[in-house]
Amino acid sequence: GAVVSQHPSWVICKSGTSVKIECRSLDFQATTMFWYRQFPKQSLMLMATSNEGSKATYEQGVEKDKFLINHASLTLSTLTVTSAHPEDSSFYICSARAHSGSSYNEQFFGPGTRLTVL
Amino acid sequence: AQSVTQLGSHVSVSEGALVLLRCNYSSSVPPYLFWYVQYPNQGLQLLLKYTSAATLVKGINGFEAEFKKSETSFHLTKPSAHMSDAAEYFCAVSDFDGNKLVFGAGTILRVKS
C-alpha cells in the first residue's frame, strides 16, 4: 500500500528557532500534499495545500511567512515553522494525494510530527 | 462552508457487540464523506468513503456507513466489535474526491473483553 513518512517524528526546540518537517511519499508520486495541524483533543485543521512546482495555498488565518511550505518534487514536501513560539507547539500531519493508479485521488497520511517549543 | 460533528468523544463497547459511531455533516454542496481510523503512532487510514454512488458504503475490516441526506448523517457501524478495532476514528467531509478535508473531532473507540 501507499506509504507516507514524516521526519522527524518529534522535535523539541527553543523559542525563536526554526524547525523543518519533511513529508515524503515513499512508493507513489503526489502532485498535491496537504498539511494539517492537530491540537490536543481537537480535530485536524488544514493549514495549507502544497502543489508540486508552485506556491502553496494557505487557509484563512494561517501565516504564510511563518509556515513556509516547499513542494520541490513529486515525493517531498517540507513545512518550516519559522521563529517558533510555544503557541506553535502542536501535532503536524501531512497527507499526499495519489495522482494515478488504483488509488487515484486518495489521500494517504503520514504518522505526524510532534513539535514542542520551549 | 463545510463542517463535521462527531457525537461522543469516547465510545466503549464489549467485544462482539455492535459498533456505532455517529457523524453529522454540514455542506453547501453535495458532500464527499470519509471515515478514517488512526492507531497509535500511525497515520490515518481510510476505512471507507461516499462519493455520491451507493448510499450504503462498505469499507475495510467489516465496517460500513450509510449516507442519509435527510438526516445529514454518515454513521459508521460494524456488527461485531473486535479487540483490534480499538482506535480513534475520524469522520471527514470534502467538496470533491481528493480535495482538502474537513475533519470531525474524532471518537476514541474502546473495546472491552
Side-chain angles (χ1 to χ4, degrees):
Chain A
V3 179
V4 174
S5 70
Q6 284 185 238
H7 178 79
S9 55
W10 60 270
V11 57
I12 301 172
C13 69
K14 293 182 178 180
S15 185
T17 61
S18 295
V19 175
K20 180 184 285 188
I21 302 170
E22 294 185 348
C23 177
R24 292 181 185 272
S25 55
L26 298 184
D27 49 4
F28 67 102
Q29 293 183 330
T31 54
T32 301
M33 293 185 178
F34 300 92
W35 285 96
Y36 297 86
R37 182 174 178 178
Q38 185 179 29
F39 289 106
K41 301 189 186 302
Q42 294 187 31
S43 182
L44 286 77
M45 299 294 291
L46 180 68
M47 298 175 65
T49 301
S50 168
N51 296 296
E52 188 267 337
S54 64
K55 292 183 178 180
T57 303
Y58 291 81
E59 294 299 298
Q60 192 173 7
V62 177
E63 300 175 59
K64 62 180 180 180
D65 294 330
K66 181 169 185 60
F67 298 99
L68 301 178
I69 291 173
N70 184 12
H71 193 157
S73 77
L74 289 174
T75 60
L76 174 64
S77 175
T78 60
L79 168 68
T80 301
V81 183
T82 63
S83 187
H85 288 92
E87 57 265 30
D88 299 322
S89 299
S90 189
F91 195 53
Y92 293 86
I93 300 171
C94 73
S95 71
R97 184 172 76 193
H99 78 279
S100 63
S102 59
S103 299
Y104 176 70
N105 264 350
E106 183 174 341
Q107 289 188 43
F108 296 92
F109 285 79
T113 296
R114 174 76 59 193
L115 170 63
T116 301
V117 185
L118 302 176
Chain B
Q2 297 179 307
S3 67
V4 173
T5 301
Q6 290 185 240
L7 296 176
S9 59
H10 291 78
V11 170
S12 183
V13 301
S14 297
E15 192 173 19
L18 171 72
V19 175
L20 171 61
L21 303 182
R22 300 178 186 273
C23 171
N24 288 89
Y25 70 90
S26 173
S27 178
S28 57
V29 298
Y32 288 78
L33 294 159
F34 306 80
W35 275 101
Y36 287 88
V37 61
Q38 186 176 33
Y39 298 100
N41 301 316
Q42 296 185 29
L44 277 73
Q45 179 183 4
L46 180 66
L47 276 178
L48 49 82
K49 65 180 178 182
Y50 167 77
T51 57
S52 77
T55 56
L56 182 62
V57 182
K58 295 187 183 298
I60 62 172
N61 301 338
F63 285 93
E64 63 181 36
E66 186 172 9
F67 172 68
K68 292 187 177 181
K69 184 178 179 180
S70 61
E71 299 177 8
T72 61
S73 69
F74 190 58
H75 301 330
L76 181 71
T77 60
K78 181 174 181 178
S80 177
H82 193 272
M83 296 297 289
S84 61
D85 295 325
E88 187 161 19
Y89 292 80
F90 292 92
C91 181
V93 64
S94 180
D95 55 4
F96 65 82
D97 195 14
N99 202 13
K100 59 186 180 182
L101 295 165
V102 176
F103 284 89
T107 298
I108 294 174
L109 175 66
R110 179 187 170 214
V111 182
K112 300 176 291 184
S113 59

